[in-house]
Amino acid sequence: MDKKENNMWVHIILIIGAVIMVIPFIWMILTSFKTITETTQLDPFVIFPSKWRIDSFKSVIKQMDFVLLYWNTLKFIFWRVIFALVTSTMAGYAFARLNFRGKNIAFTIVLIQMMIPSQIFIIPQYKMISNLGLLNTTFALVFPGIVTAFGTFLLRQAFMGLPKELEEAAKLDGCNIVQTFIHVMLPLVRSSLVSLGIFTALFAFKDLMWPLIVNPEQNAMPLASALAKLQGQYASNYPELMAASVLACIPMIIIYIIFQKQFIEGIATSGGKL
């Protein structure tokens, strides 16, 4: 098998994989235009709606204040990303480039936290937020992500990959630790910062359990929690649920279109996957 034929098979496999990934999204859009009867029938060959209806979109827009939900979600994501970047860069730099007593023990604790399911921390975190009287606030949503073990580990590895000569040169030029960190080292880990920002934004957008616990009021919910409220206990209106899901995807699609280059660069550099 020559190189050209090998590349052709690689492209065919990638195209098939892309189609498989897109099918659920297409199914969601088509279902949002169907009736409840069409979505629950067992005929597997009925893919398209018999008539394209927008009743489901009108119904969910009437039921849910999407402007408020978009605003709550964007605030939630923005502050999660800001806190994650600030705390992770400082902690990552300290663990990678500074020497202090208890450094290895402290970093071991960070690694242990990555190995423990996040659900274990929900009760103590909830009690802390409740005792502070901050339920149904943006801070309550952001609180678990103020410090991230994953971000600390990612930035530590990025800073460890930089040569020591950079710090030595900065010290000779009269820079202190803070100046070296901000002006010399931080710009060199830009790709890792982009990667961390992408991961943090996606994890925040998909977060469901914590927002349902700390922000149960309708005016304080992000999109994921509001969508969960549409799921009935015994039956669900699937066209409305899919219509709301389509509307919920709009902000992330817009963000991806605007920052497409940074998304691809960040994922390629970090070697991570979404």
Side-chain angles (χ1 to χ4, degrees):
M1 183 181 294
D2 58 11
K3 185 176 180 181
K4 186 176 181 180
E5 186 177 354
N6 186 42
N7 289 336
M8 181 188 70
W9 280 107
V10 170
H11 282 84
I12 290 174
I13 294 172
L14 291 175
I15 290 171
I16 293 174
V19 170
I20 293 173
M21 295 291 291
V22 170
I23 286 176
F25 186 74
I26 296 175
W27 179 86
M28 177 180 70
I29 296 175
L30 293 176
T31 303
S32 66
F33 291 99
K34 293 180 180 181
T35 63
I36 296 178
T37 304
E38 289 176 326
T39 59
T40 55
Q41 64 185 353
L42 299 178
D43 189 350
F45 299 103
V46 178
I47 300 174
F48 296 94
S50 58
K51 182 180 179 181
W52 296 82
R53 302 171 177 84
I54 59 173
D55 299 342
S56 299
F57 289 93
K58 292 180 179 178
S59 178
V60 295
I61 290 174
K62 187 177 180 180
Q63 294 178 45
M64 305 165 66
D65 187 352
F66 272 92
V67 174
L68 180 60
L69 291 174
Y70 287 149
W71 177 241
N72 290 340
T73 305
L74 289 176
K75 285 194 299 181
F76 175 30
I77 292 174
F78 174 79
W79 287 113
R80 270 277 182 100
V81 171
I82 293 298
F83 277 115
L85 293 180
V86 171
T87 58
S88 296
T89 50
M90 292 190 294
Y93 181 76
F95 283 126
R97 316 299 295 198
L98 304 181
N99 293 317
F100 54 90
R101 184 177 297 178
K103 171 182 172 180
N104 293 332
I105 296 176
F107 187 67
T108 301
I109 294 173
V110 172
L111 294 180
I112 292 174
Q113 185 181 348
M114 291 178 61
M115 303 173 192
I116 299 175
S118 59
Q119 291 78 6
I120 291 177
F121 303 107
I122 286 179
I123 294 177
Q125 288 172 344
Y126 175 82
K127 289 183 70 67
M128 293 171 69
I129 290 294
S130 179
N131 292 336
L132 290 171
L134 294 174
L135 295 175
N136 294 300
T137 63
T138 302
F139 181 80
L141 295 174
V142 176
F143 180 68
I146 290 178
V147 178
T148 162
F150 168 75
T152 301
F153 174 78
L154 180 66
L155 268 299
R156 174 185 178 270
Q157 299 306 111
F159 282 119
M160 286 184 68
L162 300 178
K164 292 183 179 179
E165 288 77 11
L166 293 171
E167 290 173 304
E168 294 173 355
K171 189 175 181 179
L172 289 174
D173 289 337
C175 293
N176 56 32
I177 293 177
V178 176
Q179 292 171 327
T180 303
F181 168 65
I182 295 175
H183 299 294
V184 179
M185 308 299 282
L186 196 58
L188 298 176
V189 294
R190 177 178 173 273
S191 296
S192 296
L193 291 174
V194 172
S195 302
L196 179 59
I198 292 170
F199 289 130
T200 304
L202 288 174
F203 293 156
F205 182 76
K206 297 186 293 183
D207 196 3
L208 175 61
M209 183 179 294
W210 178 251
L212 281 174
I213 293 172
V214 295
N215 282 28
E217 292 185 5
Q218 189 71 29
N219 63 347
M221 285 183 176
L223 281 165
S225 302
L227 291 178
K229 292 289 185 179
L230 290 177
Q231 184 76 27
Q233 182 176 0
Y234 302 106
S236 299
N237 189 321
Y238 290 109
E240 290 187 2
L241 186 58
M242 294 301 105
S245 300
V246 171
L247 293 174
C249 289
I250 292 175
M252 293 304 291
I253 293 175
I254 294 174
I255 291 173
Y256 176 77
I257 292 173
I258 295 174
F259 299 103
Q260 183 178 162
K261 181 179 179 181
Q262 287 80 4
F263 268 59
I264 296 173
E265 177 186 352
I267 299 302
T269 304
S270 68
K273 59 181 180 180
L274 303 180

